[in-house]
Amino acid sequence: QVQLVESGGGLVQAGGSLRLSCAASGRTFSSYAMGWFRQAPGKEREFVAAISRFGGRTYYTDSVKGRFTISRDNAKNTLYLQMNSLKPEDTAVYYCAAPRSNVVVITDILEYDYWGQGTQVTVSS
C-alpha cells in the first residue's frame, strides 16, 4: 500500500516562499510519475505540477509557471514543491499524489489513485 505524507505548509505573507515535501513509502518510488494538487475552500481539487519518473520532465498549471518548481529525490523517496512569489490566491490545501500505474495524461487528476493527507498553505496579503 502506497503511503504519502506531506509537510512544509504554513502561513506566509504574499511574496514569500515555502517548500513542501512529500515522503513516499510502500513501493519503488522511481517507478511512477508524481503530482501536486491543491484545493481551495469551496473549489474543486486542481492540478498544480507533475514530474516524470526520473525528473526529466515537469509540468505546471499556467498560474504557477515561473514561481513553483517540482522536483524529486528518488534516493530519499521524496517529492518536493518549491513555491516562490506566493500570492493570496495560492491559499489552499496542497496534496501530493501518485498513480496506480503508468499515467497516460500526467496532468489529469483521474490518473492518480494515492493521496496524502494534505498540508495547508495560507498566503496573507
Side-chain angles (χ1 to χ4, degrees):
Q1 183 72 10
V2 176
Q3 293 185 329
L4 304 171
V5 180
E6 302 98 335
S7 61
L11 173 63
V12 64
Q13 289 188 332
S17 298
L18 283 173
R19 189 194 196 200
L20 305 184
S21 298
C22 173
S25 61
R27 68 179 184 186
T28 303
F29 183 66
S30 60
S31 296
Y32 301 94
M34 294 289 294
W36 285 100
F37 294 78
R38 66 186 179 186
Q39 188 166 18
K43 295 187 177 182
E44 294 187 351
R45 194 171 298 187
E46 65 174 0
F47 169 77
V48 175
I51 189 167
S52 59
R53 294 169 56 194
F54 297 105
R57 289 168 290 173
T58 57
Y59 307 82
Y60 300 93
T61 192
D62 286 346
S63 62
V64 308
K65 286 180 180 177
R67 300 189 297 121
F68 290 12
T69 303
I70 188 172
S71 61
R72 64 191 298 164
D73 186 336
N74 287 345
K76 296 182 178 179
N77 293 345
T78 303
L79 177 72
Y80 302 100
L81 185 67
Q82 178 67 44
M83 305 186 296
N84 299 329
S85 302
L86 282 161
K87 303 176 181 180
E89 50 263 44
D90 294 318
T91 295
V93 178
Y94 283 72
Y95 300 89
C96 71
R100 184 178 301 275
S101 61
N102 292 329
V103 298
V104 175
V105 180
I106 198 170
T107 60
D108 187 351
I109 193 172
L110 297 177
E111 296 272 9
Y112 293 84
D113 299 282
Y114 303 105
W115 297 85
Q117 83 288 351
T119 186
Q120 176 70 47
V121 172
T122 302
V123 184
S124 63
S125 57

